[in-house]
Amino acid sequence: MENKVPHVLLLPFPAQGHINSMINLAQLLCLAGFHVTFLNTDHNHDRLLRFTDIQSRFSPWPGFRFRTISDGLPVGHPRSADRFMELVDSLRTHMKPLFREMLISNRRELDAVTFIVADGIMMFATDVADEVGIPILTFRTISACSFWSYFCIPGLAENGELPFPDGDMNGLIKGVPGMETFLRRRDLPSFLRVKELNIPSLQFIWTETQNTTRSAGLILNTFEDLESPILSQIRSHCPNIYTVGPLHALLKSKLSNNNNSSSSSSSLWKEDNTCMTWLDSKPPKSVIYVSFGSYATVTRDEMLEFWHGLVNSQKSFLWVIRPDSITGKGEEGQIPAELEEGTRKRGFLVEWAPQVEVLAHPAVAAFLTHSGWNSTVESVFAGVPMICWPFFADQQINSRFVSEVWRDGLDMKDLSCSRETVEKLVREVMEGKREELRTSSNKIAEFARQSVGVGGSSWNNLERLIEDIRSMSFPLH
């Protein structure tokens, strides 16, 4: 038995934030000596190969391999947030039978898959795993607090808190245990802002989250000191939880401990590293970093208001603007002269940036973010205060925890992104509340560093995860 090596298949939901976390976990499992298969969609794997050196990142581990599978969508499909359910429906219709056939064929191979880690919104994988007799763990790439709010949706519906009436968005929600004193209607995930409960996206998240209890355990990219009270609530329903975050930092810690420096980007966009040289030219804590992630979109009018606010704040700014992030572009070429001039003096625009490195740069003082979980936990680890402008899904609740629980940022949820509001909040985070926010941020960052160090909670939970995968792959009976 000692010579048997687990072969773990990882199945991420095909979106940047999910892939990032899953690839970091894949590399950690390689470091444990496991054989690992990373099952990516054809579309996203093509982008990985085009924009990264992902193959060389995993070259030290001959037991690692990429495999690809169709997501069922045509090549030109945008795969954007506003067409989320089209992707979901295609995955369930087209990917599920392909995944089943792949596993059945693989069982006849010498190095057969012995374990599956599937994204928590790919729960069809649990059906297939049960059918072919392979143990499975669920990996939710969102925060514990947002997962718990999803899990409580049935109770909210039963006690009449969903759907909520039009109007008072500041009414407190009482049906999410542990959040009764601060969770407002506006802080619930965006898909709960509905007048009926039979909306497909709501039903999908509701069902997928409840199905988490069917797997052998739940992996979360968080750490105990950040979300301990909410983790206690989740454990009453999902007792076997592995908190192994921040994963990007735990991976770096493990690589360092193993004298291995093989780590690189897993971005689906080409990173522009010239922004790092620009940051090198700036004084410490003088720049606000702006990025709305890999999925969120803004209208052209919103983009211009943010731009005016940043320029009017008189602060230096590094802004990531994806080519596909602006909807309703209209007159693309007509940028007001004052914005062009202000950007020449104090700004730097890129289509994509190496975010972890940017947040760690001494020049960065604050982060204007969409509050996606990867961005949030990366900012937490770097000790960088946030201004939160959540876009959809879990981001609404993440931003509430940033402002009201962890107190390491400001929440502009549901505020107009007018130039006046943007300027005011940028000045507030970099001047008015600077020391207060920095104190909170530094304290939480220290907890994060301890969690991923030798003997820390995330370090130990990863060790437990590795041993559990080993024992479930090769049960004694």
Side-chain angles (χ1 to χ4, degrees), residues 112-161:
V113 169
T114 63
F115 202 91
I116 298 170
V117 176
D119 198 294
I121 55 173
M122 304 275 277
M123 291 306 290
F124 67 76
T126 305
D127 299 332
V128 176
D130 289 346
E131 183 182 346
V132 300
I134 300 176
I136 186 168
L137 283 171
T138 298
F139 182 9
R140 288 306 295 262
T141 58
I142 55 177
S143 58
C145 57
S146 56
F147 174 84
W148 181 231
S149 71
Y150 292 1
F151 200 90
C152 292
I153 290 172
L156 294 175
E158 287 173 13
N159 68 19
E161 291 193 273

Side-chain angles (χ1 to χ4, degrees), residues 52-285:
T52 74
D53 59 349
I54 197 72
Q55 299 282 26
S56 64
R57 173 174 172 176
F58 283 93
S59 61
W61 297 285
F64 177 87
R65 63 179 175 176
F66 280 108
R67 289 194 67 175
T68 62
I69 191 169
S70 173
D71 61 14
L73 293 172
V75 173
H77 192 282
R79 295 166 175 83
S80 54
D82 60 339
R83 299 174 73 172
F84 173 74
M85 286 308 298
E86 292 178 28
L87 176 57
V88 166
D89 291 339
S90 184
L91 295 176
R92 290 191 288 197
T93 303
H94 298 281
M95 185 185 284
K96 182 177 180 178
L98 294 174
F99 182 60
R100 178 182 178 276
E101 179 55 36
M102 181 181 293
L103 287 180
I104 290 172
S105 299
N106 177 259
R107 296 311 294 266
R108 297 190 286 267
E109 297 178 12
L110 186 62
D111 183 23
V113 169
T114 63
F115 202 91
I116 298 170
V117 176
D119 198 294
I121 55 173
M122 304 275 277
M123 291 306 290
F124 67 76
T126 305
D127 299 332
V128 176
D130 289 346
E131 183 182 346
V132 300
I134 300 176
I136 186 168
L137 283 171
T138 298
F139 182 9
R140 288 306 295 262
T141 58
I142 55 177
S143 58
C145 57
S146 56
F147 174 84
W148 181 231
S149 71
Y150 292 1
F151 200 90
C152 292
I153 290 172
L156 294 175
E158 287 173 13
N159 68 19
E161 291 193 273
L162 287 181
F164 45 74
D166 293 335
D168 183 15
M169 294 293 285
N170 289 319
L172 286 176
I173 293 291
K174 298 297 186 180
V176 183
M179 305 185 197
E180 300 93 338
T181 61
F182 61 86
L183 188 70
R184 306 164 300 177
R185 289 169 178 158
R186 72 174 69 253
D187 302 316
L188 287 171
S190 60
F191 51 77
L192 295 182
R193 299 183 181 190
V194 294
K195 295 183 178 180
E196 299 178 357
L197 297 181
N198 59 355
I199 304 298
S201 58
L202 172 55
Q203 291 293 322
F204 168 71
I205 293 296
W206 178 333
T207 303
E208 296 293 276
T209 303
Q210 292 299 310
N211 278 334
T212 302
T213 57
R214 294 173 51 205
S215 69
L218 172 63
I219 303 169
L220 289 170
N221 183 19
T222 190
F223 57 100
E224 294 291 328
D225 282 325
L226 186 66
E227 299 193 86
S228 179
I230 301 305
L231 288 165
S232 296
Q233 298 286 348
I234 298 172
R235 285 187 172 106
S236 64
H237 299 271
C238 306
N240 189 27
I241 297 179
Y242 306 89
T243 52
V244 292
L247 270 167
H248 75 286
L250 181 59
L251 175 58
K252 184 176 181 180
S253 182
K254 280 285 186 178
L255 288 170
S256 175
N257 199 61
N258 284 269
N259 297 314
N260 189 318
S261 60
S262 181
S263 180
S264 64
S265 169
S266 54
S267 174
L268 302 180
W269 282 266
K270 183 174 178 57
E271 293 178 345
D272 186 342
N273 289 291
T274 60
C275 63
M276 301 305 294
T277 304
W278 181 81
L279 285 173
D280 289 341
S281 70
K282 299 302 175 185
K285 305 298 180 188

Side-chain angles (χ1 to χ4, degrees), residues 315-330:
K315 306 298 180 185
S316 297
F317 60 93
L318 167 60
W319 190 1
V320 173
I321 305 179
R322 295 188 336 268
D324 64 342
S325 66
I326 301 169
T327 60
K329 292 182 181 181

